[in-house]
Amino acid sequence: MRRTKGWQAKREKMNLAQGAYSLPEAVARVKAVARDWETIDVAVRLAVDPRKADQNVRGSVVLPHGTGKEVRVAVFTKGEKENEAREAGADLVGLEDIIEQVKNGKIDFDVAVATPDVMKEVSKVAKVLGPRRLMPNPKSGTVTFDVARAVKEFKGGKMDFRVEKAGIVHCVAGKGSFTDQQVVENVQALLGELVRLKPASARGVYIKSIALSATESPSVKVDVKSTGL
């Protein structure tokens, strides 16, 4: 792949002569070239086979410092739970009206939460929400009667994640405007949750590699052993 002069200049500034770095060192190198608005991502490669049901790692993590992005939360529900969701700070609350908006292609939210009693109705737009990873799912905590807690968690930095075909989990670790320590702690939170979710059938070294990158910068490899995992 041909790289731009700007990309090459950033790589030189990051001084990536060493193969892999400790997590704090890797974060420092990414932050050295990331502008405040850029998103910092972490990619973790796991020793799993996503084709096997018991190794399809999926879950959510509350990042201690959030994502740096304002998250819009929609809650599919009815009755008393509507007021509970609004009081918790949900941006969209309702059922048939939101479903109709989705059918018409208007998806003005980043996370969708639903109470179990309305999932039959929400399933009508599963083909629209599913490909966008917005379909409520019990495993990610987005199908629950405790809508207030769900809304507050997602507003506060909760992120869903799932392993992709290549065995890689991608997650936001923060913004270029974050301090180094904030990014480090966000990454540590994700790694801790991935370890907790390690499938019993996974063999050998579970976390094979970790890489950090900003929106417009080269990636930096993290020395997995240095994380203590």
Side-chain angles (χ1 to χ4, degrees):
M1 182 184 295
R2 188 175 180 179
R3 304 296 187 181
T4 65
K5 290 183 179 180
W7 189 93
Q8 294 289 1
K10 286 183 178 181
R11 184 174 178 81
E12 291 177 8
K13 184 176 180 180
M14 292 165 77
N15 187 20
L16 302 178
Q18 191 174 314
Y21 301 84
S22 68
L23 180 55
E25 289 174 330
V27 169
R29 279 169 168 73
V30 172
K31 290 275 282 82
V33 297
R35 287 165 287 187
D36 285 356
W37 59 266
E38 290 187 59
T39 298
I40 297 175
D41 293 298
V42 56
V44 184
R45 188 179 178 206
L46 305 176
V48 298
D49 184 351
R51 294 172 298 179
K52 297 180 179 179
D54 63 340
Q55 293 191 19
N56 192 2
V57 179
R58 178 175 184 170
S60 59
V61 60
V62 177
L63 300 178
H65 302 289
T67 64
K69 174 186 176 182
E70 182 181 349
V71 179
R72 289 182 58 81
V73 180
V75 178
F76 293 88
T77 190
K78 58 185 179 181
E80 296 180 358
K81 291 296 177 179
E82 291 189 35
N83 288 332
E84 184 179 323
R86 290 192 181 94
E87 290 175 2
D91 299 279
L92 292 172
V93 180
L95 185 57
E96 294 298 339
D97 52 341
I98 304 180
I99 290 175
E100 196 60 33
Q101 288 179 26
V102 172
K103 286 181 178 179
N104 293 329
K106 184 179 180 181
I107 301 177
D108 190 23
F109 51 87
D110 305 298
V111 177
V113 175
T115 47
D117 58 326
V118 301
M119 280 304 294
K120 183 177 180 179
E121 289 90 336
V122 178
S123 65
K124 297 175 183 177
V125 288
K127 290 184 178 180
V128 179
L129 297 179
R132 294 172 172 78
R133 296 189 177 182
L134 291 173
M135 186 64 187
N137 187 295
K139 290 184 178 180
S140 62
T142 49
V143 177
T144 175
F145 279 116
D146 194 352
V147 293
R149 178 180 178 181
V151 170
K152 290 176 181 177
E153 285 184 340
F154 282 108
K155 285 282 190 180
K158 186 175 183 179
M159 288 288 296
D160 288 339
F161 60 81
R162 64 185 301 176
V163 66
E164 298 175 356
K165 290 182 179 179
I168 299 174
V169 171
H170 289 278
C171 187
V172 173
K175 289 282 188 180
S177 58
F178 281 26
T179 66
D180 289 15
Q181 189 60 28
Q182 286 176 322
V183 178
V184 167
E185 291 175 3
N186 276 353
V187 173
Q188 289 174 331
L190 172 65
L191 296 177
E193 187 62 15
L194 288 174
V195 170
R196 190 185 72 80
L197 294 173
K198 179 181 179 180
S201 59
R203 295 289 181 265
V205 178
Y206 176 52
I207 295 182
K208 301 179 73 174
S209 66
I210 305 169
L212 291 172
S213 64
T215 305
E216 298 181 356
S217 77
S219 62
V220 182
K221 292 182 180 180
V222 176
D223 181 357
V224 178
K225 291 183 179 179
S226 73
T227 64
L229 299 174

